[in-house]
Amino acid sequence: MQSTIRMRAAAVGALLGLAAVFAGSGSAQAGPPGATAGDSAAADTTVGNVTGFSADGSVYHLNAGAAEARVSFVSTETFRIELAPDGKFTDPTGSDIVLPQGKAPKTHWKEKSDRYELSTGKVTLRAYKAPLRFALYGADGHRIWSETRGISWTGDTTTQTLARGADEQYYGAGMQNGRGNTSHRGQTVEVGVDGNWDDGGHPNSVPFYLSSAGYGVYRNTYAPNTYAFDDPVTASAKEQRFDAYYFAGSGAKDVIGQYTKLTGKPFMPPIYGLENGDADCYLHNANRGERHTLDALKVADGFVANDMPNGWMLVNDGYGCGYENLAETAKGLQAHDTQLGLWTQDGIADLAQQVKDGQRVAKLDVAWVGAGYKFALDGCKDAYKGIEDNSDARGLTWAPESWAGAQRCGVQWSGDQTGSWDFIRWQIPTYAGATMSGLAYTTSDVDGIFGGSPQTYTRDLEWKSFLPAMITMDGWAASDKQPFRQGEPYTSINRKYLKLKESLLPYMYSYAHEANETGVGPVRPLALEYPDDPEAATDAAKYEFLTGEDFLVAPVYKDTGTRDGIYLPKGTWTDYWTGRTYQGPTTVNGYSAPLDTLPLFVKGGAAVPMWPGIRSYADRKSDSPLAWDIYPQGKSSFDLYEDDGVTRQNRAGKYATQRAEVDAPRAGGGDVSVHIGASKGEFKGKQTSRPYQFTLHTGDAPSDVQLSGHKLPQLTSAAAYAKAAQGWWYDRDDRGGVVKVKTASLRTDEAFSLKLKNTSAIGGARPGATAVVAAAPGQELGAGAAGKVTVDVTAGNQDATGVTVGVDAPAGWKTTTATTVARIPAGTTRHVEVAVTPAGDTKAGATTLTATARYGSAGQDRTAVQPFGVSVMPAPPGGDVWASDMEWLTSTNGYGPAERDRSNGESGADDGHTLTLDGKTYEKGIGTHADSDIEVYLGGQCSKLNADVGIDDEINGYGEVAFSVEADGKVLWTSPKVTGASATVPVDVDLSGARHVHLKATATSNTHTGDHADWAAAHFTCT
């Protein structure tokens, strides 16, 4: 019987076994008055009336019988409330998490008949007397938060109860898998280890939450927390002590900044830490056969040969893996512009020597298995410090379970998962949500470490290229998962996004610096940037996020070529691939997203710094260009941050900043100016001069372009532009029309300006005049067969004239010459058919074509483009055929690959056994594991499906599944529930006219144990 036990189950089991240790960490054992020590069943007790008050500078004491509360002000907007039921204060976290905060602020207090008021210049904390109850007010008198009852406790829990505002929204609690980038309002959120790395789990959780009312709360403890954001809100910790810091701020960013000032700003990673990393075991790998650590260099060769970025490699990722020839391996990797990383198989006792041998990354899978979060946090800090103490590099660690404070020393990684469409779905809200707790670098393995498919791998890699931290994991799945292993078209698509990530390094690195300064990470929920947009807090924005302020990413998380429900907030948003503009707030449905297209939008006003054409940050030379991708709209700016990328000299002030300022019309025609300020600051390796490139998305050609008052030569073609040392060219065919400018090398310590005369803001001089190209999803072509695709061209608010429509296709395909349409009236659509013949050797599956319409409108020659997917089908069956002999369009399986003429086996192909149902053996058939789905193409040529189905005899009575047959979106047949003890079920289904048929097996219980579902002797009767 096939086993689904993960190799890392030992770690998970240890983690679950330590739940009690985590839960009890730091708990005060004294119970409430009248309770025995540790009596968790004791009645809930609420703090009583104030019986005493005293002030000691910025620290205040309030007695309530045997209980005592202590209020300590840290800054004018940050303070701490502690309550000890027995009057004895404890602090199990000590100096582990909260950093020294310097001199306390000046405060004052006054007594009123019903309360004490404790004030700074920014806030007033009211302490009501009967009973003791707290409420916070701003300097202007508005209420920020208030308790609806006093702090309460049982033998093992303390709880604060707060009023909930009518529209108040809540965020935070660290990494909450499947949620977090939209509001927690109405939800209960757990904070603490639970051993669940999948949807609903909360690895890397943080006892901190923030409210849209302008405050945040950090519970200073190692104990698990539960936040129920109901009405009222209850915030509990599993310990009989209350200890919380409060932050009052002007908004979420301010609150996150105060929280991370208290617990530590996110670390500034080395620049290779923002590149892709790869992990595997290269010594005695049970899944791959005998290998040696130096074999990692062959894989590094693969990244270079495939022109794919890769910044670092873990070479011992696997239990019992170990390593050899470490220094030689590190040297070889560095020759590939790749740094050496190690998995902490045996802790970090040998870290000093490993770092001296070349280690620069530590992944703490094992180091955190110990006595609670303190062990995890100490491991993060010690590994980070160990790298820095033994090299000139910055520390870089990764951990799957961490706590408050870990943001200052590592990347938070969400643990072992299985690649699937659902895996993509629930991760989308996870990492942007973690930003709301000061976690700036969060991620997971591309397509998980188990399961997955080339399609899910590519879709997952696309959007994770817009996370600052990224890793691909090999060795645990049935086959290696480096991004060049899936073959075409996947390799080319993966390269496209990895190189886009690489080119955006100066943008991401600048946001990493911002995170180090402010606590706010690069990946952001819409609610952080658009707090006044009510949709940003809801599920309307759940499956999208922002990278920085400028990129809105809406990943595809279903097996489809379109994306619905993309919410764009207020502003102008430009499709990164086509140049089409949208005015928000709006929701985009039916977005064309073939496999190579990530739905990606850029905010109007964006000025994005880029490094064009590189595979590694190390490719940058003294004369390398800096490129600016600009979407002009109104006044906007971007501050570029630069340092040497590797050492800690930046902490000594060795870095530089350079500001780009753009001045353009808010909409419509006019001049566009770009001012690039002098680079301020110095560091080793800083460019003293460099050429610049600009791409300005205007939609209208300028009359001329000036560089610091001097006209640049106008160039007339892409070839002339590429050849020239400097000049400009208006490329009407690039994303709706862009102005491309290049300069000769310019001094970086001197400012310069670029001015485009008589052009426009993003969207063109006549907003809305551009035409839109679309193609219906689901269009099919046959390999080597003449066919047609339909393209729709819709004119904008101006007529489109002289419209020519063509289709760009892969090499070897044939398309007709462009079709001409004399005029498409404003606001109307013209359907155009274009003849297309795929190459005869085209593999079945989705292929991306690009429709191009060239036309005139509003006095300009314009071009509109749209990528779209078509499905290339294999030739339909020409007679009776076994299902196991056919080409499968898609094949998903619950464990390992579906098997042809064998039962479902382990994680590899062809490792199953003879098909056996109810004592009968079968030579032909399909062996699957629920849930599974096999898709075949019949093209309307078959009339019937016959088979015997059931759970294979090798399971010996286990399992519980149901079979179904679907054709062209309709369910034609469903079996009764089948168990391992059921008789064989015959299948006889009429398929007349069916084109696409799915053979499905679905688990009918939650265990998935033994769900080996056989389609024995499955065959189609065809003409």
Side-chain angles (χ1 to χ4, degrees), residues 520-535:
V520 180
V523 177
R524 304 173 178 186
L526 269 63
L528 187 62
E529 296 294 342
Y530 300 90
D532 298 326
D533 187 336
E535 295 298 308

PDB file of all heavy atoms in Angstrom, residues 520-535:
ATOM      1  N   VAL A 520       8.037  48.486   7.299  1.00  0.00           N
ATOM      2  CA  VAL A 520       7.001  48.097   6.338  1.00  0.00           C
ATOM      3  C   VAL A 520       7.649  47.352   5.177  1.00  0.00           C
ATOM      4  O   VAL A 520       8.485  47.914   4.458  1.00  0.00           O
ATOM      5  CB  VAL A 520       6.225  49.322   5.817  1.00  0.00           C
ATOM      6  CG1 VAL A 520       5.154  48.889   4.819  1.00  0.00           C
ATOM      7  CG2 VAL A 520       5.592  50.066   6.991  1.00  0.00           C
ATOM      8  N   GLY A 521       7.269  46.085   4.986  1.00  0.00           N
ATOM      9  CA  GLY A 521       7.870  45.250   3.965  1.00  0.00           C
ATOM     10  C   GLY A 521       7.428  45.602   2.562  1.00  0.00           C
ATOM     11  O   GLY A 521       6.451  46.333   2.356  1.00  0.00           O
ATOM     12  N   PRO A 522       8.120  45.049   1.563  1.00  0.00           N
ATOM     13  CA  PRO A 522       7.803  45.373   0.159  1.00  0.00           C
ATOM     14  C   PRO A 522       6.456  44.833  -0.311  1.00  0.00           C
ATOM     15  O   PRO A 522       5.810  45.457  -1.153  1.00  0.00           O
ATOM     16  CB  PRO A 522       8.953  44.725  -0.621  1.00  0.00           C
ATOM     17  CG  PRO A 522      10.048  44.498   0.370  1.00  0.00           C
ATOM     18  CD  PRO A 522       9.351  44.246   1.671  1.00  0.00           C
ATOM     19  N   VAL A 523       6.034  43.647   0.182  1.00  0.00           N
ATOM     20  CA  VAL A 523       4.806  43.015  -0.305  1.00  0.00           C
ATOM     21  C   VAL A 523       3.650  43.447   0.592  1.00  0.00           C
ATOM     22  O   VAL A 523       3.693  43.217   1.810  1.00  0.00           O
ATOM     23  CB  VAL A 523       4.951  41.488  -0.334  1.00  0.00           C
ATOM     24  CG1 VAL A 523       3.657  40.833  -0.765  1.00  0.00           C
ATOM     25  CG2 VAL A 523       6.083  41.100  -1.282  1.00  0.00           C
ATOM     26  N   ARG A 524       2.624  44.047   0.009  1.00  0.00           N
ATOM     27  CA  ARG A 524       1.645  44.765   0.810  1.00  0.00           C
ATOM     28  C   ARG A 524       0.217  44.426   0.408  1.00  0.00           C
ATOM     29  O   ARG A 524      -0.098  44.315  -0.775  1.00  0.00           O
ATOM     30  CB  ARG A 524       1.866  46.278   0.647  1.00  0.00           C
ATOM     31  CG  ARG A 524       3.281  46.682   0.999  1.00  0.00           C
ATOM     32  CD  ARG A 524       3.602  48.124   0.712  1.00  0.00           C
ATOM     33  NE  ARG A 524       4.966  48.437   1.129  1.00  0.00           N
ATOM     34  CZ  ARG A 524       5.495  49.648   1.117  1.00  0.00           C
ATOM     35  NH1 ARG A 524       4.782  50.683   0.692  1.00  0.00           N
ATOM     36  NH2 ARG A 524       6.738  49.828   1.530  1.00  0.00           N
ATOM     37  N   PRO A 525      -0.669  44.311   1.397  1.00  0.00           N
ATOM     38  CA  PRO A 525      -2.088  44.195   1.070  1.00  0.00           C
ATOM     39  C   PRO A 525      -2.619  45.534   0.583  1.00  0.00           C
ATOM     40  O   PRO A 525      -2.083  46.597   0.927  1.00  0.00           O
ATOM     41  CB  PRO A 525      -2.726  43.795   2.402  1.00  0.00           C
ATOM     42  CG  PRO A 525      -1.775  44.224   3.446  1.00  0.00           C
ATOM     43  CD  PRO A 525      -0.403  44.258   2.836  1.00  0.00           C
ATOM     44  N   LEU A 526      -3.663  45.500  -0.208  1.00  0.00           N
ATOM     45  CA  LEU A 526      -4.228  46.755  -0.696  1.00  0.00           C
ATOM     46  C   LEU A 526      -4.660  47.652   0.450  1.00  0.00           C
ATOM     47  O   LEU A 526      -4.595  48.875   0.360  1.00  0.00           O
ATOM     48  CB  LEU A 526      -5.412  46.476  -1.630  1.00  0.00           C
ATOM     49  CG  LEU A 526      -5.075  46.341  -3.121  1.00  0.00           C
ATOM     50  CD1 LEU A 526      -4.159  45.160  -3.389  1.00  0.00           C
ATOM     51  CD2 LEU A 526      -6.348  46.231  -3.950  1.00  0.00           C
ATOM     52  N   ALA A 527      -5.108  47.037   1.563  1.00  0.00           N
ATOM     53  CA  ALA A 527      -5.590  47.825   2.685  1.00  0.00           C
ATOM     54  C   ALA A 527      -4.503  48.698   3.282  1.00  0.00           C
ATOM     55  O   ALA A 527      -4.800  49.735   3.902  1.00  0.00           O
ATOM     56  CB  ALA A 527      -6.172  46.902   3.758  1.00  0.00           C
ATOM     57  N   LEU A 528      -3.245  48.331   3.133  1.00  0.00           N
ATOM     58  CA  LEU A 528      -2.159  49.138   3.682  1.00  0.00           C
ATOM     59  C   LEU A 528      -1.985  50.426   2.896  1.00  0.00           C
ATOM     60  O   LEU A 528      -1.732  51.483   3.472  1.00  0.00           O
ATOM     61  CB  LEU A 528      -0.860  48.334   3.670  1.00  0.00           C
ATOM     62  CG  LEU A 528       0.342  48.980   4.361  1.00  0.00           C
ATOM     63  CD1 LEU A 528       0.081  49.186   5.840  1.00  0.00           C
ATOM     64  CD2 LEU A 528       1.592  48.124   4.159  1.00  0.00           C
ATOM     65  N   GLU A 529      -2.108  50.351   1.574  1.00  0.00           N
ATOM     66  CA  GLU A 529      -1.930  51.534   0.732  1.00  0.00           C
ATOM     67  C   GLU A 529      -3.235  52.270   0.463  1.00  0.00           C
ATOM     68  O   GLU A 529      -3.215  53.450   0.120  1.00  0.00           O
ATOM     69  CB  GLU A 529      -1.288  51.130  -0.600  1.00  0.00           C
ATOM     70  CG  GLU A 529       0.117  50.560  -0.483  1.00  0.00           C
ATOM     71  CD  GLU A 529       1.133  51.585   0.015  1.00  0.00           C
ATOM     72  OE1 GLU A 529       0.849  52.806  -0.051  1.00  0.00           O
ATOM     73  OE2 GLU A 529       2.200  51.163   0.489  1.00  0.00           O
ATOM     74  N   TYR A 530      -4.360  51.589   0.631  1.00  0.00           N
ATOM     75  CA  TYR A 530      -5.669  52.198   0.349  1.00  0.00           C
ATOM     76  C   TYR A 530      -6.606  51.967   1.538  1.00  0.00           C
ATOM     77  O   TYR A 530      -7.643  51.318   1.423  1.00  0.00           O
ATOM     78  CB  TYR A 530      -6.256  51.619  -0.943  1.00  0.00           C
ATOM     79  CG  TYR A 530      -5.374  51.862  -2.141  1.00  0.00           C
ATOM     80  CD1 TYR A 530      -4.392  50.933  -2.501  1.00  0.00           C
ATOM     81  CD2 TYR A 530      -5.477  53.032  -2.890  1.00  0.00           C
ATOM     82  CE1 TYR A 530      -3.547  51.163  -3.574  1.00  0.00           C
ATOM     83  CE2 TYR A 530      -4.638  53.279  -3.963  1.00  0.00           C
ATOM     84  CZ  TYR A 530      -3.674  52.338  -4.296  1.00  0.00           C
ATOM     85  OH  TYR A 530      -2.840  52.564  -5.362  1.00  0.00           O
ATOM     86  N   PRO A 531      -6.255  52.519   2.700  1.00  0.00           N
ATOM     87  CA  PRO A 531      -7.037  52.242   3.909  1.00  0.00           C
ATOM     88  C   PRO A 531      -8.457  52.789   3.866  1.00  0.00           C
ATOM     89  O   PRO A 531      -9.320  52.313   4.617  1.00  0.00           O
ATOM     90  CB  PRO A 531      -6.215  52.915   5.017  1.00  0.00           C
ATOM     91  CG  PRO A 531      -5.416  53.966   4.310  1.00  0.00           C
ATOM     92  CD  PRO A 531      -5.106  53.403   2.965  1.00  0.00           C
ATOM     93  N   ASP A 532      -8.706  53.767   3.007  1.00  0.00           N
ATOM     94  CA  ASP A 532     -10.047  54.354   2.929  1.00  0.00           C
ATOM     95  C   ASP A 532     -10.931  53.660   1.900  1.00  0.00           C
ATOM     96  O   ASP A 532     -12.084  54.048   1.722  1.00  0.00           O
ATOM     97  CB  ASP A 532      -9.952  55.847   2.603  1.00  0.00           C
ATOM     98  CG  ASP A 532      -9.226  56.631   3.682  1.00  0.00           C
ATOM     99  OD1 ASP A 532      -9.370  56.258   4.872  1.00  0.00           O
ATOM    100  OD2 ASP A 532      -8.510  57.586   3.346  1.00  0.00           O
ATOM    101  N   ASP A 533     -10.395  52.667   1.227  1.00  0.00           N
ATOM    102  CA  ASP A 533     -11.172  51.923   0.242  1.00  0.00           C
ATOM    103  C   ASP A 533     -11.843  50.749   0.947  1.00  0.00           C
ATOM    104  O   ASP A 533     -11.163  49.817   1.390  1.00  0.00           O
ATOM    105  CB  ASP A 533     -10.250  51.407  -0.868  1.00  0.00           C
ATOM    106  CG  ASP A 533     -11.007  50.756  -2.018  1.00  0.00           C
ATOM    107  OD1 ASP A 533     -12.141  50.284  -1.800  1.00  0.00           O
ATOM    108  OD2 ASP A 533     -10.450  50.711  -3.131  1.00  0.00           O
ATOM    109  N   PRO A 534     -13.165  50.748   1.070  1.00  0.00           N
ATOM    110  CA  PRO A 534     -13.823  49.660   1.814  1.00  0.00           C
ATOM    111  C   PRO A 534     -13.632  48.297   1.178  1.00  0.00           C
ATOM    112  O   PRO A 534     -13.684  47.280   1.871  1.00  0.00           O
ATOM    113  CB  PRO A 534     -15.301  50.081   1.828  1.00  0.00           C
ATOM    114  CG  PRO A 534     -15.441  51.038   0.685  1.00  0.00           C
ATOM    115  CD  PRO A 534     -14.130  51.743   0.576  1.00  0.00           C
ATOM    116  N   GLU A 535     -13.403  48.242  -0.128  1.00  0.00           N
ATOM    117  CA  GLU A 535     -13.214  46.953  -0.792  1.00  0.00           C
ATOM    118  C   GLU A 535     -11.865  46.320  -0.441  1.00  0.00           C
ATOM    119  O   GLU A 535     -11.701  45.103  -0.502  1.00  0.00           O
ATOM    120  CB  GLU A 535     -13.314  47.121  -2.312  1.00  0.00           C
ATOM    121  CG  GLU A 535     -14.684  47.545  -2.809  1.00  0.00           C
ATOM    122  CD  GLU A 535     -15.740  46.516  -2.487  1.00  0.00           C
ATOM    123  OE1 GLU A 535     -15.544  45.335  -2.809  1.00  0.00           O
ATOM    124  OE2 GLU A 535     -16.755  46.885  -1.872  1.00  0.00           O
TER     125      GLU A 535
END
